[in-house]
Amino acid sequence: MSNAVPPLLTALVDDAAVFPPGSAPLDEAVPAHAGHRRSWYAQLIGPLLLPLADRAGASSDTEVGLIGDPAALETTLGDLPPGTRQLESPVAKRGEDPCPGIERLAALMRKSEEPWQWYLEVPLAWGLMSGLDAIAALRAEGLPVAAKFRTGGLAAELFPSPADLASVICACRDRDLPFKLTAGLHHAVRHTDAETGLVHHGFLNILAAVLGAADGLSPADLTVILSTTEAMPLAAQVQPHLERERPLWVGFGSCSVQDPVDDLVALGLLDRPRPEAAR
């Protein structure tokens, strides 16, 4: 099953099972992640994401991404598990200048000789563009860093509008700056959550938008793509590009990686093997 997952979808979904709203216990999340890594869709799945405080709970052969604030990273950088692949950290609260936090983390990157990938979470608020400029400058310096943005949460104001998300995707494109996303991307297509009434972005909308951005579409064009709630037109946009490497977007964390798998299968973008072929 080495080719079950096409290049466009490879490593699209990091396993954030221990984070809300899933909040799986660590002793359940670690073996479940191992099961995902053995599955037919294994190439779709990135590392297991853990809070920095839970780093000792991962088995030695588990690839993990660790998430913590800059102060916590400063005190634990020499005590990370061997399976660490990426580090993620917020650089500022909403309304704060992100640049001091970015430079604080840059100092850690410059001291480290480990091949970790760093993701710096920049609020989609005041100071965003100067923060992106600063991260792009670090990449030009040769540091293994990319941006990270939050696309949801427990309140409506934590969900960026399609226009705001379109603008940040184009801003990253214009800076040749990879990015990853977190929160709110529970399903493939933009939808309203029946329990909360919150409107969630769809990861397929974003995939179609980044393909469009790489091909030169404008923020206005991307806003239309990000706003649509029609599944099949989106799938038709993405289908011809499945053998293409995914541009710009590193991927996103999901507290239930089975949901993206099921959505992609239902939309004909991922082929679930027949039971006899999977054995």
Side-chain angles (χ1 to χ4, degrees), residues 132 166-179 209-219 221-222 248:
L132 297 186
S167 293
V168 79
I169 290 173
C170 287
C172 288
R173 174 199 61 196
D174 295 343
R175 292 163 174 80
D176 196 23
L177 180 61
F179 65 91
V210 296
L211 288 167
D215 290 341
L217 294 187
S218 70
D221 297 323
L222 268 56
L248 287 175

Side-chain angles (χ1 to χ4, degrees), residues 101-240:
I102 291 170
E103 189 51 44
R104 183 178 183 179
L105 289 163
L108 296 181
M109 290 181 235
R110 294 185 184 108
K111 289 192 292 187
S112 174
E113 296 182 356
E114 298 290 342
W116 300 317
Q117 177 67 42
W118 296 66
Y119 295 99
L120 308 191
E121 183 180 324
V122 184
L124 296 177
W126 179 84
L128 171 63
M129 294 305 166
S130 61
L132 297 186
D133 287 339
I135 297 173
L138 296 180
R139 284 184 62 82
E141 184 183 326
L143 295 176
V145 62
K148 176 182 172 183
F149 308 112
R150 192 161 292 271
T151 51
L154 300 178
E157 62 266 23
L158 299 177
F159 290 78
S161 69
D164 287 344
L165 191 52
S167 293
V168 79
I169 290 173
C170 287
C172 288
R173 174 199 61 196
D174 295 343
R175 292 163 174 80
D176 196 23
L177 180 61
F179 65 91
K180 72 172 299 192
L181 301 174
T182 188
L185 296 174
H186 297 163
H187 289 288
V189 180
R190 183 172 176 82
H191 66 283
T192 300
D193 185 272
E195 293 185 8
T196 66
L198 297 173
V199 181
H200 288 249
H201 290 285
F203 67 81
L204 189 60
N205 296 73
I206 295 170
L207 188 55
V210 296
L211 288 167
D215 290 341
L217 294 187
S218 70
D221 297 323
L222 268 56
T223 299
V224 173
I225 296 171
L226 292 168
S227 299
T228 186
T229 56
E230 297 295 326
M232 296 317 295
L234 280 174
Q237 280 183 263
V238 169
Q239 183 81 44

Side-chain angles (χ1 to χ4, degrees), residues 18-19 48-55 64-77 80 84 86-92 101-102 104-105 108-109 117-122 148 150 180 182:
V18 304
F19 290 91
L48 176 66
L49 301 182
L50 297 176
L52 196 57
D54 290 338
R55 64 192 182 281
V64 296
L66 299 174
I67 302 174
D69 61 35
L73 282 171
E74 285 172 339
T75 60
T76 60
L77 206 60
L80 300 184
T84 302
Q86 62 197 49
L87 300 174
E88 306 182 14
S89 184
V91 300
I102 291 170
R104 183 178 183 179
L105 289 163
L108 296 181
M109 290 181 235
Q117 177 67 42
W118 296 66
Y119 295 99
L120 308 191
E121 183 180 324
V122 184
K148 176 182 172 183
R150 192 161 292 271
K180 72 172 299 192
T182 188

Side-chain angles (χ1 to χ4, degrees), residues 12-22 49 181-183 185-187 203 252-260:
L12 177 65
V13 187
D14 287 352
D15 185 353
V18 304
F19 290 91
L49 301 182
L181 301 174
T182 188
L185 296 174
H186 297 163
H187 289 288
F203 67 81
F252 68 100
S254 174
C255 64
S256 174
V257 301
Q258 196 63 54
D259 288 341

